[in-house]
Amino acid sequence: MVPVPLYKPENVIGDEVIDGIRDVLASGWLTLGPETRSFEDEFSTAHTSEHGIAVNSCTSALYACLRALGIDEGDTVVVPAMTFSATANVVRLLGSDVVLCDVTETGNMDPKNLARQLERYDVAAVIPVHLYGLPADMPEICRLAEDHGAAVIEDCAHAPGASIAGKPVGSFGDAGCYSFYATKNMTTGEGGMVVTSDQELAEDVRNLRNHHQTKSPDEKAENWGYDVDGLGFNFRMSEIQAVMGRSQLERLPEMNEERRRVAQQYIESLDGISGLEWVGDRDTINEHVFHLFVIRVADEYPLSRQQLYDHLAEDDITTGVHYPPISELSYYDDIRGDHDTTDGLYGNILSLPMFPEMTDTEQQTVIESLREPIDE
Ligand SMILES: Cc1ncc(COP(=O)(O)O)c(C=O)c1O
């Protein structure tokens, strides 16, 4: 059998990237320069937002947005119970309280449960996550948040290029935060982006990114004088990363389409495997960008989730569990909020190999291995 990894970044280093990096190195300007500005413009335009601020990770992006919104000690922020720890960690890092919102059977924030959390707590901000690449119900989440005077920061780490009725995720709330981590739909190795149409928020995030200096590096090169009028960080993106990002952004629609092709084949094959179901909703396939393809192992399947994980590993197929819910993490054992549906999903989910250049042979290897325990 051919070994099948969980992820394989697609063709990140094409000739245009090598040429672009060579030009950057020759220019002598290696960070926050023309490549970064072009990447910000191109990314924000593609996501129909007025401003793009490139940073070094989605974690920095989320943290900077919350801080720019004035989220502080004593404030309460709602995050989905099913997400990567970064979504909740940024809230605690600000000294604020995290409240968990339960998810629906697709893994996304459940607006009904959000309404409950907004009634129970005095909520300053909500961070919906477009989990696995499926857009959360943004019109309803934004309506509820607005009714309660809460800000909305979208965690779009899994969903660059995803949209709801043609409107890109990240453009519904006050800001959208993206990740270009090595395994994401588009990558710069590490990296992130904030998109927003709020001029003041954009300016605050830009200041936080670069130590709150009153001049950008190129402005300082022209005239050294500058002030520091607040506290900031080094959340900068390098010009080398921006070259990779521009090339990846250009290929994003095609790479997302390839992910959709792989997902469609999985969905059709799962129809013939009793006890394994896709964690998703067929009506939303065209809005989904399939960062992950996640299945639920039901009782009628001959193996438990752990046994299936081990069986696939024996066939050299790598899978994973996304994610251990926030309430399962020892640091969060005192967490408030709801997570019943999340807990039910967590016991049974498994992420199958998913990447744009997946060959039919690789995918058939996975499908046959999933079918094998039934045929035995
Ligand atoms: C849902 C979610 N949010 C935030 C992050 C953090 O992204 P980064 O690694 O770019 O900081 C991740 C990373 O995997 C994620 O999956």
Side-chain angles (χ1 to χ4, degrees):
M1 290 222 187
V2 290
V4 191
L6 183 54
Y7 319 100
K8 215 195 268 179
E10 188 192 74
N11 241 343
V12 183
I13 307 292
D15 285 346
E16 77 291 354
V17 174
I18 300 292
D19 292 345
I21 291 174
R22 203 176 281 121
D23 290 346
V24 162
L25 296 177
S27 79
W29 197 273
L30 302 190
T31 191
L32 280 196
E35 288 292 332
T36 308
R37 275 196 293 276
S38 297
F39 182 33
E40 290 173 336
D41 288 347
E42 288 158 9
F43 193 90
S44 55
T45 301
H47 291 82
T48 64
S49 290
E50 282 170 33
H51 310 278
I53 305 103
V55 289
N56 57 1
S57 72
C58 185
T59 308
S60 306
L62 290 164
Y63 183 89
C65 284
L66 290 174
R67 201 171 156 137
L69 284 168
I71 305 299
D72 207 349
E73 231 166 278
D75 285 332
T76 297
V77 177
V78 177
V79 310
M82 178 63 88
T83 183
F84 181 61
S85 54
T87 320
N89 288 353
V90 289
V91 178
R92 285 271 178 102
L93 279 165
L94 283 161
S96 311
D97 288 330
V98 181
V99 162
L100 297 182
C101 178
D102 208 356
V103 299
T104 68
E105 292 295 335
T106 67
N108 269 339
M109 185 174 258
D110 180 355
K112 286 200 189 79
N113 195 259
L114 175 62
R116 180 173 147 84
Q117 308 310 335
L118 289 165
E119 289 300 329
R120 278 163 113 186
Y121 302 105
D122 182 13
V123 175
V126 180
I127 313 182
V129 178
H130 306 294
L131 198 75
Y132 309 147
L134 173 68
D137 183 352
M138 289 315 300
E140 188 58 8
I141 290 169
C142 287
R143 188 187 68 74
L144 289 165
E146 195 179 344
D147 283 353
H148 289 80
V152 176
I153 303 294
E154 294 175 65
D155 181 337
C156 308
H158 296 186
S163 55
I164 303 172
K167 184 170 163 60
V169 301
S171 66
F172 287 86
D174 295 87
C177 299
Y178 291 82
S179 171
F180 309 131
Y181 176 64
T183 62
K184 295 296 192 276
N185 287 39
M186 58 175 279
T187 182
T188 58
E190 298 279 1
M193 183 79 75
V194 172
V195 299
T196 181
S197 293
D198 179 330
Q199 164 93 31
E200 203 177 318
L201 183 61
E203 217 161 282
D204 284 350
V205 170
R206 213 166 267 133
N207 285 334
L208 284 164
R209 168 180 70 175
N210 192 26
H211 300 294
H212 242 281
Q213 296 174 88
T214 52
K215 278 188 182 170
S216 62
D218 41 2
E219 286 167 337
K220 273 187 356 191
E222 276 175 26
N223 179 343
W224 66 269
Y226 70 95
D227 188 19
V228 169
D229 58 1
L231 287 179
F233 301 84
N234 171 5
F235 286 162
R236 295 184 295 259
M237 173 176 275
S238 81
E239 287 283 277
I240 293 168
Q241 289 168 304
V243 167
M244 290 175 72
R246 293 183 71 190
S247 155
Q248 286 274 285
L249 179 63
E250 223 175 282
R251 305 196 45 223
L252 182 67
E254 176 199 325
M255 292 193 291
N256 281 345
E257 205 44 55
E258 276 290 290
R259 286 176 179 274
R260 224 169 262 134
R261 172 189 66 78
V262 173
Q264 292 268 18
Q265 276 173 215
Y266 270 138
I267 292 166
E268 280 163 30
S269 304
L270 287 173
D271 279 344
I273 307 178
S274 141
L276 297 184
E277 299 152 8
W278 169 48
V279 175
D281 168 357
R282 278 170 198 254
D283 292 343
T284 61
I285 288 177
N286 291 327
E287 295 180 344
H288 208 307
V289 291
F290 293 98
H291 170 53
L292 290 164
F293 188 86
V294 178
I295 58 168
R296 183 189 294 109
V297 184
D299 287 346
E300 56 273 34
Y301 193 71
L303 305 182
S304 68
R305 191 266 305 276
Q306 184 59 43
Q307 287 168 328
L308 177 57
Y309 174 89
D310 294 338
H311 163 74
L312 291 166
E314 275 166 28
D315 285 345
D316 245 345
I317 296 165
T318 310
T319 59
V321 176
H322 299 89
Y323 290 93
I326 301 297
S327 57
E328 291 288 318
L329 306 174
S330 59
Y331 174 68
Y332 287 101
D333 63 0
D334 58 346
I335 195 80
R336 293 180 296 169
D338 294 332
H339 43 86
D340 286 351
T341 307
T342 302
D343 296 346
L345 274 174
Y346 173 50
N348 301 308
I349 51 176
L350 194 65
S351 308
L352 300 183
M354 164 56 83
F355 44 92
E357 286 182 327
M358 194 169 190
T359 63
D360 284 346
T361 309
E362 286 171 322
Q363 195 165 22
Q364 276 316 310
T365 302
V366 179
I367 291 161
E368 276 164 31
S369 190
L370 293 172
R371 206 176 270 135
E372 201 177 43
I374 294 191
D375 296 339
E376 272 170 2

